[in-house]
Amino acid sequence: MGRAVVKFGGSNLKNESDLCRLVEIVKLYEEPPVIVVSALFGVTDMIKESLKKVVSSTSEIGKLMEFISENHLSIIENYVSSPVIRESLRSAFLYKLFELRKYLLGINCLGKKPECAEDLILSFGERFTALILNSLLTDHGVDSIMLLPEEIGLVTDGCFGDAVIDFDKAEKRVAEALLTDCAVVIPGFYGVSPAGDVTLLGRGGSDYSAAAVAACIKADYLDLWKDVPGFLSCDPRLVNDAFPLELLS
């Protein structure tokens, strides 16, 4: 069994203990996988809603900071056993949270949200998840590093909000960056423009991130972990008798 790219989405991250369950899944792989993660369930939607109000309200920033802190710090405090790793992770998380707050205050001062700032801010949910999962893997004895899309050269066409990967520019850089024998955790949902700006890959962008990385490194296979038993005939949230499809063309 060769190297895999593994994607865990928000539907796999609804409860505090879910990240620990993902650690156990990662341990099942014979070769250290490349892991692409989404934000915790509901976090990106909350950031998006807050962005609409932050333009004219600083109180909304405090509400968002409290929401994000409660959702992430409880995982850090309750599930990271090593005091050294826990304290290092807590410091790194709070620094990223301060960085997010700084960008939100900038939008409030401007009284508008530039596209580049909106894409950058909406990428923070994935950054938080990747930071915590990487530390959890280390805490459980898994040799792991975190690399950001900007660090591995996941270059896009530069279109804000709905970018596509520029494989001519990205493939070689990503392949070289991921030449490592340990597990790698990458936040999904975004890439970077040729100028270095964060550009979102659209709704469901973490799946796209994972597929793009898999293509760049010529992975043996790509696993998209979901909360359904496979590809279904239709959306089970809308249709009660949706059933798994055995084969796809």
Side-chain angles (χ1 to χ4, degrees):
M1 187 178 290
R3 192 156 210 199
V5 174
V6 181
K7 184 261 178 175
F8 297 119
S11 61
N12 306 119
L13 298 166
K14 293 180 179 178
N15 302 305
E16 277 193 15
S17 59
D18 285 346
L19 272 170
C20 291
R21 186 167 58 88
L22 302 191
V23 171
E24 296 307 314
I25 291 173
V26 170
K27 287 181 176 180
L28 296 175
Y29 285 86
E30 293 180 7
E31 297 290 332
V34 176
I35 307 154
V36 177
V37 291
S38 297
L40 297 185
F41 186 76
V43 168
T44 299
D45 288 339
M46 183 66 175
I47 296 175
K48 196 166 190 176
E49 282 302 307
S50 296
L51 265 175
K52 298 175 185 177
K53 304 171 185 176
V54 162
V55 173
S56 58
S57 171
T58 54
S59 64
E60 192 63 32
I61 298 175
K63 292 177 186 176
L64 180 60
M65 296 298 100
E66 184 178 354
F67 173 82
I68 292 175
S69 293
E70 288 178 356
N71 277 268
H72 296 80
L73 283 176
S74 58
I75 297 173
I76 296 170
E77 299 301 332
N78 294 329
Y79 293 98
V80 180
S81 58
S82 165
V84 175
I85 296 175
R86 184 169 61 246
E87 186 53 38
S88 175
L89 171 58
R90 189 174 186 278
S91 296
F93 169 76
L94 290 175
Y95 179 81
K96 294 303 294 182
L97 192 64
F98 172 78
E99 191 178 355
L100 173 58
R101 183 176 181 274
K102 180 178 65 176
Y103 290 132
L104 292 170
L105 283 170
I107 283 181
N108 178 262
C109 290
L110 287 171
K112 61 181 180 179
K113 46 180 182 176
E115 286 182 317
C116 59
E118 185 169 2
D119 277 29
L120 174 60
I121 288 167
L122 286 172
S123 74
F124 267 79
E126 280 69 19
R127 295 170 189 264
F128 290 139
T129 306
L131 183 66
I132 294 174
L133 180 57
N134 182 59
S135 292
L136 277 171
L137 287 167
T138 303
D139 189 52
H140 283 75
V142 178
D143 190 11
S144 171
I145 59 171
M146 182 181 74
L147 292 173
L148 303 175
E150 51 265 47
E151 293 174 325
I152 65 173
L154 192 62
V155 182
T156 72
D157 63 354
C159 178
F160 291 111
D162 195 21
V164 296
I165 302 300
D166 185 336
F167 285 97
D168 288 338
K169 294 178 180 176
E171 185 172 1
K172 183 179 179 182
R173 292 173 63 181
V174 173
E176 289 177 351
L178 296 181
L179 281 175
T180 174
D181 293 330
C182 64
V184 180
V185 182
I186 301 171
F189 190 39
Y190 77 94
V192 286
S193 73
D197 293 316
V198 168
T199 47
L200 298 185
L201 300 175
R203 198 68 179 179
S206 292
D207 284 2
Y208 183 26
S209 299
V213 169
C216 288
I217 68 171
K218 296 179 172 53
D220 290 281
Y221 54 100
L222 166 66
D223 289 344
L224 304 177
W225 286 80
K226 303 288 184 177
D227 60 346
V228 291
F231 283 94
L232 302 187
S233 56
C234 44
D235 190 337
R237 294 170 296 184
L238 303 176
V239 180
N240 290 331
D241 58 353
F243 59 90
L245 301 174
E246 292 187 13
L247 295 173
L248 290 171
S249 67

